[in-house]
Amino acid sequence: MALSGLEIYKLLPQTNCKECGYPTCLAFAMKLAAKQAELKDCPYVSEEAAAKLEAASAPPIRLIELQGSDGKLAVGNETVLFRHEKTFYHKPGLFLRVADTLDAAAAKEMVTQADAFHVDYVGIDLHLDGFAVEAASGDAGKYAAAVGAVREGTKLPLILIASDPGLAKAGLEVAGGRPLLYAADAENWQAMGELAKSANVPLAVRADGPDALNDLTEKLKSLGLEDLVLDPSTAGYKQDLANYTTLRRLAIKKNMRSLGFPIISFPGRLDASDETLLAAQYIAKYSGLVVLDHFDPATAYALLVLRENIYTDPQKPIQVQPGIYEINNPDPNAPLFVTTNFSITYFSVANEVEGSGWPGWLLVTDAEGMSVLTAWAAGKFDAERIAKDVKAFGVEEKLAHKKLILPGHVSVLSGELEEELPGWEIMVGPREAVDIPTYLKTMWSNGGG
Amino acid sequence: MEMMEETNPMTIEIPKEKWSGRVREVTLGATADEGGTRSRTLTVGGESAMPYLYFEGEIPHSPALALEIHDRKPDDWSPLLLEAWGDAAEDPATWAKAAEEAGADLIYLSLSLTTAAGEKNTAENARSVVRSVLNASSLPLAVVGTGQAEADNELMVAVAEEGVGERLLLGICEDKNYRTIVAAALAHKHLVQSRTPMDVNLSKQMIILINDMGMPLERIIMDPTTGALGYGIEYGYSVMERLRLAALQGDSMTQQPMLVTPGEEAWKVKEAKVGEGVPEEWGDWEKRALNWEAITATSLIHSGADIIVLRHPETLKRVRAVVDALTNGA
């Protein structure tokens, strides 16, 4: 947990020497607390104090990095319980579990298909983050062969699920990169810990709930391990929510280092639960790695979008540049749409116009990254602004007509907009982007209106 | 010391928040004893903890799952939804009964601007639809207007009169039209649903305005507005979390139970609505569409929803399983 200015002040020399560039040690401490100054600017701070300050500034949840043969993933480093308090930083990795008991051809097909899965969502490339290979056969040779086969099918990071140190070792020898080893438990922690340490890979720790986890991570830390991942064991929606929330709170609010690690979850582990909806809970509530048992594009796409949404920085809505956009090579007779610069709004409208096959112009106004309704309610998307942008972006010069299609949700603006833009005809488009193709077919087939 | 640690491993103190506030309990519907004809009432709210954190407060009621029906077969619903409801969607009474059989806690009836023939919807028609739905299903009922103030002024007054004594939930009270709906609800002892566009302060303001007209807070349900998965869900999600935190901290005008409409929102986006002309990577249409609605709903349960309005009967089953597990599970 970050120290307050006063707590930092107590660790400084308190001589007000001014060599740091600030008039007093207290002023410098306040700047340090606000992360606007660096400790190295103080030439007289003691080593002991420096170590304390450094420890206090370490993230409450450790950043854990996995590497594949090409491509890596970092999870952890979260600092808040609720995304509006700041933001969630590192999107939970979505993995697919492949057991070594699966027929080699079937495993290869599963991995190849899932590895090739990429979807474009508002300009973001969504895909899985890796594969978890499980030693279900209990046979080291079989396990090594399965890990090797998966490695051939993907360059993404791996998780090696093998609670027997011998099996784990066999997997590690062929995995390459920096996989996550899963998992140390109350019985095997020593052997698994030593294996993870010698291979320099992160190690997952599995136990029932925070107390037992804490006990194990303390033991593993004493072996010298620093990169750990927590599995509080899958118990179902209710207990998992309680456990995950408790772990997050202990790490962030109580600065409990022994539990300051990302959480790994297995939503498919309980037969009785809906894997997709339990995964949704884990994404919203504090999981760092989610291992799915099933791959289906219709599910993966939805979960990846949820992850993207929950991890969007609330202070920086994803925006597109205001301006006039061309879709399907429009000529001066093509229809003109207007919308806001919230990227989801922009992409919804642009995709629909594009998909309709009609050439079109899309005027994107600066609504501070808000959607149409929100921007309108906040006074950031009104007749005055739209008219201003029509002029600013030289819309009139591009068109042979003076017709503007307004989003249906703000039809109320049409009167005012006609006043602001004399000579223009303001048309009210559909409320939802998905209805644009139908709208164009009926309203624009003979040149509009 | 060594011995003690061996025999008594340290027990971590679970951090618990101490909240001073609590969400208001609101009861929808009225049985014969209470002057209505419903077979049961529906109480929502009452939480004194963040969603499902049973270890630090009370969560006396599971969120209620409502199914949305319309006074006539909707023109713009996804074919998947119309297929799921089949002939039931042709008649609001049959539809209400089917929704009850599908496991809904509440029927959420939405009135259309026009009749199937394209004529203006009338007060008389709204009255007869409400009567037929009340006769067909004994569940508590919500009735919401067309969203156009002028039409709603006429329709909702008639609905309020027709449902007198039933403690209907009437909506949707927005900035422009709340007066008529609130007045009608007050005159006939109903409840109201407020709606504001994803903003904590606007939401509070609307509750204050409705309350100022004399509507008791025990009869107001708050709709903070929902965005679908992929289309702004994070805005609604965070506004709900902020509203609920404020409620627990004791801010009175945020202590209303929250209603969300993931069914409506999810089913109007492309991922759910249509099966053609979409990228192949999106996968199977029906599965994707059902996931879209269910994931939107599940996320909102975690941000504090008390009434969840759904459209597809299959989604209701899935979300019911989640709610049951969160309430009664391990």
Side-chain angles (χ1 to χ4, degrees):
Chain A
M1 207 185 322
L3 296 179
S4 71
L6 271 179
E7 286 165 325
I8 295 173
Y9 173 70
K10 287 177 193 154
L11 296 168
L12 294 178
Q14 303 176 21
T15 52
N16 298 337
C17 73
K18 301 187 180 59
E19 286 182 43
C20 61
Y22 294 93
T24 62
C25 287
L26 185 60
F28 181 55
M30 292 300 174
K31 287 287 170 186
L32 283 174
K35 301 201 189 314
Q36 291 164 348
E38 287 184 56
L39 188 64
K40 66 175 171 54
D41 292 335
C42 174
Y44 304 111
V45 68
S46 72
E47 265 178 46
E48 188 195 349
K52 269 191 195 162
L53 286 166
E54 195 179 324
S57 68
I61 296 177
R62 190 171 171 85
L63 190 73
I64 302 295
E65 278 190 358
L66 306 188
Q67 271 168 22
S69 53
D70 181 22
K72 59 181 175 182
L73 172 74
V75 295
N77 244 1
E78 302 304 332
T79 59
V80 291
L81 268 306
F82 300 100
R83 56 187 294 282
H84 67 261
E85 293 174 310
K86 191 158 177 71
T87 184
F88 292 170
Y89 290 96
H90 291 91
K91 289 172 239 177
L94 229 57
F95 283 69
L96 179 63
R97 187 173 67 95
V98 187
D100 69 349
T101 44
L102 198 62
D103 165 72
K108 195 173 175 200
E109 197 196 321
M110 186 177 177
V111 172
T112 313
Q113 191 202 359
D115 185 73
F117 175 75
H118 281 257
V119 194
D120 175 81
Y121 164 70
V122 298
I124 302 165
D125 175 27
L126 301 181
H127 55 85
L128 294 187
D129 299 286
F131 294 85
V133 196
E134 180 169 16
S137 68
D139 180 289
K142 256 195 177 163
Y143 186 51
V147 174
V150 172
R151 182 75 293 161
E152 270 174 40
T154 181
K155 292 176 170 173
L156 294 170
L158 301 183
I159 296 171
L160 301 179
I161 304 182
S163 289
D164 174 275
L167 295 173
K169 194 158 187 285
L172 275 172
E173 277 163 7
V174 282
R178 191 166 191 256
L180 169 68
L181 190 53
Y182 179 97
D185 58 28
E187 274 79 52
N188 71 9
W189 65 271
Q190 197 141 13
M192 291 296 271
E194 270 151 20
L195 185 60
K197 196 180 170 191
S198 68
N200 186 28
V201 297
L203 176 65
V205 184
R206 183 175 64 187
D208 287 338
D211 272 313
L213 274 174
N214 181 60
D215 195 41
L216 268 180
T217 57
E218 290 285 11
K219 286 176 179 162
L220 289 162
K221 281 177 120 181
S222 70
L223 283 185
L225 286 162
E226 290 181 326
D227 287 344
L228 300 175
V229 168
L230 309 176
D231 176 6
S233 299
T234 314
Y237 295 91
K238 185 180 178 182
Q239 186 59 49
D240 290 351
L241 181 67
N243 278 345
Y244 287 36
T245 304
T246 298
L247 288 172
R248 178 81 151 227
R249 282 183 181 173
L250 286 167
I252 288 174
K253 305 189 96 163
K254 301 289 171 192
N255 203 26
M256 194 156 172
R257 295 285 173 197
S258 53
L259 293 175
F261 301 103
I263 299 172
I264 185 169
S265 52
F266 297 83
R269 215 183 243 168
L270 298 176
D271 290 339
S273 302
D274 184 321
E275 183 180 32
T276 306
L277 298 185
L278 188 52
Q281 170 176 313
Y282 291 145
I283 289 171
K285 292 292 170 187
Y286 314 138
S287 193
L289 294 162
V290 180
V291 182
L292 298 171
D293 278 2
H294 301 93
F295 174 73
D296 182 325
T299 300
Y301 175 39
L303 289 175
L304 286 165
V305 169
L306 177 66
R307 178 181 84 166
E308 210 58 45
N309 291 165
I310 295 291
Y311 278 73
T312 294
D313 186 343
Q315 282 142 34
K316 284 185 223 141
I318 28 178
Q319 303 185 16
V320 292
Q321 196 67 25
I324 179 92
Y325 286 76
E326 300 183 6
I327 298 166
N328 298 336
N329 300 312
D331 67 14
N333 295 309
L336 169 70
F337 291 87
V338 62
T339 193
T340 71
N341 69 327
F342 176 40
S343 77
I344 292 169
T345 302
Y346 164 78
F347 278 102
S348 305
V349 175
N351 286 343
E352 290 306 332
V353 177
E354 196 183 329
S356 74
W358 286 80
W361 300 93
L362 178 55
L363 174 65
V364 175
T365 63
D366 183 359
E368 298 179 16
M370 287 185 243
S371 68
V372 167
L373 263 184
T374 316
W376 170 74
K380 308 291 181 195
F381 186 58
D382 56 19
E384 201 180 326
R385 257 176 214 240
I386 297 169
K388 194 177 125 254
D389 282 352
V390 165
K391 286 166 193 146
F393 296 119
V395 175
E396 289 197 14
E397 291 83 77
K398 294 182 191 291
L399 300 182
H401 63 82
K402 286 190 169 183
K403 289 172 186 159
L404 180 151
I405 303 169
L406 203 58
H409 276 301
V410 290
S411 56
V412 52
L413 294 178
S414 55
E416 271 175 75
L417 195 51
E418 269 166 10
E419 280 172 31
E420 293 277 346
L421 290 171
W424 280 73
E425 182 188 335
I426 308 303
M427 300 169 69
V428 175
R431 291 158 75 98
E432 302 303 330
V434 69
D435 298 320
I436 286 175
T438 319
Y439 171 83
L440 280 173
K441 238 181 264 168
T442 53
M443 296 302 291
W444 200 266
S445 49
N446 47 12
Chain B
M1 278 302 284
E2 197 83 305
M3 281 292 290
M4 277 189 57
E5 278 182 12
E6 284 293 306
T7 51
N8 293 317
M10 185 184 74
T11 304
I12 300 166
E13 196 185 332
I14 305 287
K16 292 179 188 173
E17 300 284 351
K18 289 193 183 69
W19 302 112
S20 56
R22 173 187 283 274
V23 178
R24 281 190 185 85
E25 282 192 334
V26 172
T27 299
L28 291 76
T31 61
D33 286 351
E34 295 145 336
T37 60
R38 306 298 83 202
S39 62
R40 55 181 140 122
T41 61
L42 174 66
T43 302
V44 293
E47 301 94 329
S48 62
M50 287 303 276
Y52 299 99
L53 300 183
Y54 286 90
F55 60 89
E56 68 184 14
E58 286 169 36
I59 298 154
H61 310 287
S62 287
L65 305 185
L67 279 169
E68 178 184 345
I69 67 168
H70 282 229
D71 55 351
R72 65 173 175 88
K73 190 174 171 179
D75 302 323
D76 58 349
W77 275 30
S78 170
L80 290 177
L81 284 170
L82 294 176
E83 198 182 306
W85 288 111
D87 290 342
E90 305 285 346
D91 167 61
T94 320
W95 200 349
K97 205 162 174 45
E100 179 171 358
E101 279 159 14
D105 299 311
L106 171 73
I107 305 293
Y108 193 86
L109 169 65
S110 176
L111 301 178
S112 312
L113 201 52
T114 57
T115 64
E119 284 155 16
K120 198 174 138 227
N121 200 354
T122 60
E124 197 186 10
N125 180 57
R127 212 182 264 276
S128 97
V129 168
V130 166
R131 179 47 49 204
S132 73
V133 168
L134 285 169
N135 291 342
S137 163
S138 65
L139 290 178
L141 176 67
V143 185
V144 298
T146 64
Q148 296 212 359
E150 210 173 300
D152 287 353
N153 287 348
E154 196 184 324
L155 299 178
M156 295 313 292
V157 172
V159 168
E161 271 175 26
E162 186 63 35
V164 65
E166 299 284 8
R167 284 180 71 92
L168 304 177
L169 176 64
L170 301 180
I172 298 171
C173 298
E174 298 183 76
D175 197 22
K176 288 164 296 200
N177 70 343
Y178 72 95
R179 289 176 174 280
T180 314
I181 298 176
V182 174
L186 276 172
H188 302 282
K189 303 199 171 65
H190 299 301
L191 291 70
V192 295
Q193 171 192 346
S194 73
R195 176 180 282 175
T196 43
M198 296 193 200
D199 184 281
V200 171
N201 289 322
L202 291 177
S203 181
K204 285 172 67 172
Q205 245 170 50
M206 195 70 239
I207 304 297
I208 292 169
L209 289 172
I210 293 172
N211 186 228
D212 280 352
M213 282 185 69
M215 178 61 75
L217 294 167
E218 288 68 30
R219 280 162 59 193
I220 306 175
I221 298 279
M222 163 171 89
D223 174 358
T225 304
T226 309
L229 176 63
Y231 294 81
I233 189 175
E234 67 272 30
Y235 289 84
Y237 180 93
S238 282
V239 165
M240 287 168 72
E241 288 195 325
R242 289 172 57 202
L243 280 166
R244 184 50 49 88
L245 286 167
L248 297 178
Q249 282 156 7
D251 185 346
S252 178
M253 293 298 151
T254 62
Q255 288 172 338
Q256 307 312 121
M258 290 191 276
L259 178 148
V260 293
T261 51
E264 180 185 351
E265 293 303 320
W267 282 100
K268 72 187 178 193
V269 308
K270 194 166 187 168
E271 277 82 349
K273 196 171 184 180
V274 297
E276 283 172 17
V278 302
E280 202 186 319
E281 313 85 86
W282 285 11
D284 178 72
W285 174 27
E286 183 164 18
K287 189 156 192 193
R288 179 180 73 239
L290 291 173
N291 276 337
W292 225 259
E293 185 181 26
I295 291 178
T296 304
T298 301
S299 309
L300 300 176
I301 284 171
H302 285 297
S303 56
D306 294 285
I307 299 179
I308 294 136
V309 187
L310 300 168
R311 281 191 171 174
H312 200 292
E314 181 61 28
T315 309
L316 185 121
K317 264 191 226 161
R318 288 178 78 187
V319 176
R320 175 75 70 199
V322 174
V323 164
D324 283 350
L326 279 166
T327 308
N328 308 314

